[in-house]
Amino acid sequence: GAVVSQHPSRVICKSGTSVKIECRSLDFQATTMFWYRQFPKQSLMLMATSNEGSKATYEQGVEKDKFLINHASLTLSTLTVTSAHPEDSSFYICSADPGGFSYNSPLHFGNGTRLTVT
Amino acid sequence: DAKTTQPPSMDCAEGRAANLPCNHSTISGNEYVYWYRQIHSQGPQYIIHGLKNNETNEMASLIITEDRKSSTLILPHATLRDTAVYYCIVRVDNYGQNFVFGPGTRLSVLP
């Protein structure tokens, strides 16, 4: 089945530093990937849609200059949290769309990255 | 995307069938019903999806009512490892469409 790999699984950083999270589709190509954020005991909230070769589309209230997204290839999207603050501590999850008008094309999710900003 | 409603929590005895309901009364004709689950501190795991016919795979069965306004996910023999939050999502099966997650149902499988 389709596998999405997310790295790192956990990261602790100091306030003011930047952190990069990678999302890779291992056995399929994904023109579109999605980035979600999840706070404790809450559901996933879409942050942005990442499109290969073009600028990401951010949801309302998500700062594009703070959460930099790069989707340079069909198998890799990165999310960089710049100048991280403690309130950015959260669980970040990516997903990738195997694509096509196919009956069997559910989104596949990475295992998430737990970010703690101290 | 259509909104879904699910009970916030459910319990199920280990070895028994777990039946998780979902209402999607405003679903449109080209929207599929997807089920995912999320075990603590992991990413969502795809379970099953369907349009209007009942579906079954190695994990679960999906029963969709004839009017498509509701569905039920059935885990035929629940185990402790099935304890998770289960999300019912409706989405047009077009490329590039994200999933909108509601609060889901927290299923607790009890020994």
Side-chain angles (χ1 to χ4, degrees):
Chain A
V3 177
V4 175
S5 174
Q6 194 171 335
H7 178 79
S9 58
R10 291 180 177 270
V11 59
I12 300 173
C13 70
K14 291 186 176 180
S15 188
T17 61
S18 296
V19 173
K20 179 184 285 187
I21 302 169
E22 292 189 350
C23 179
R24 294 181 184 271
S25 56
L26 295 187
D27 50 0
F28 64 97
Q29 293 183 333
T31 303
T32 301
M33 293 185 177
F34 302 98
W35 287 96
Y36 293 82
R37 180 167 53 181
Q38 186 176 32
F39 292 107
K41 298 190 184 299
Q42 295 186 23
S43 190
L44 285 76
M45 294 297 294
L46 180 68
M47 297 176 64
T49 301
S50 168
N51 297 298
E52 187 268 337
S54 65
K55 291 183 178 181
T57 303
Y58 291 83
E59 295 300 300
Q60 191 172 8
V62 178
E63 299 177 57
K64 62 181 181 185
D65 294 330
K66 180 169 186 62
F67 299 99
L68 301 180
I69 291 173
N70 183 285
H71 193 157
S73 78
L74 288 172
T75 60
L76 174 63
S77 176
T78 61
L79 169 69
T80 301
V81 183
T82 63
S83 187
H85 288 99
E87 56 264 33
D88 298 323
S89 297
S90 188
F91 192 50
Y92 293 86
I93 306 168
C94 72
S95 69
D97 193 337
F101 289 75
S102 167
Y103 177 72
N104 293 313
S105 60
L107 288 184
H108 298 280
F109 289 81
N111 256 340
T113 297
R114 174 77 57 192
L115 170 63
T116 302
V117 184
T118 61
Chain B
D1 288 343
K3 188 174 180 180
T4 63
T5 55
Q6 300 176 252
S9 64
M10 292 181 64
D11 291 340
C12 176
E14 187 179 18
R16 304 296 292 269
N19 297 288
L20 292 92
C22 178
N23 286 322
H24 31 80
S25 58
T26 59
I27 192 170
S28 59
N30 60 348
E31 287 183 313
Y32 284 72
V33 180
Y34 289 80
W35 283 84
Y36 282 76
R37 72 181 182 185
Q38 187 178 26
I39 295 169
H40 183 62
S41 293
Q42 295 183 23
Q45 176 190 21
Y46 167 75
I47 301 173
I48 199 168
H49 76 291
L51 181 63
K52 54 183 177 181
N53 296 323
N54 297 337
E55 302 288 343
T56 295
N57 62 20
E58 64 278 5
M59 290 182 68
S61 294
L62 173 61
I63 308 298
I64 303 175
T65 58
E66 192 170 343
D67 63 8
R68 303 208 325 121
K69 293 185 177 182
S70 65
S71 61
T72 301
L73 177 74
I74 302 173
L75 307 178
H77 306 287
T79 71
L80 298 179
R81 289 183 296 179
D82 292 322
T83 293
V85 178
Y86 287 76
Y87 298 100
C88 168
I89 302 163
V90 294
R91 188 191 77 143
V92 175
D93 194 30
N94 284 344
Y95 186 69
Q97 295 290 319
N98 67 287
F99 281 0
V100 178
F101 285 82
T105 295
R106 183 171 297 277
L107 175 69
S108 297
V109 180
L110 307 176

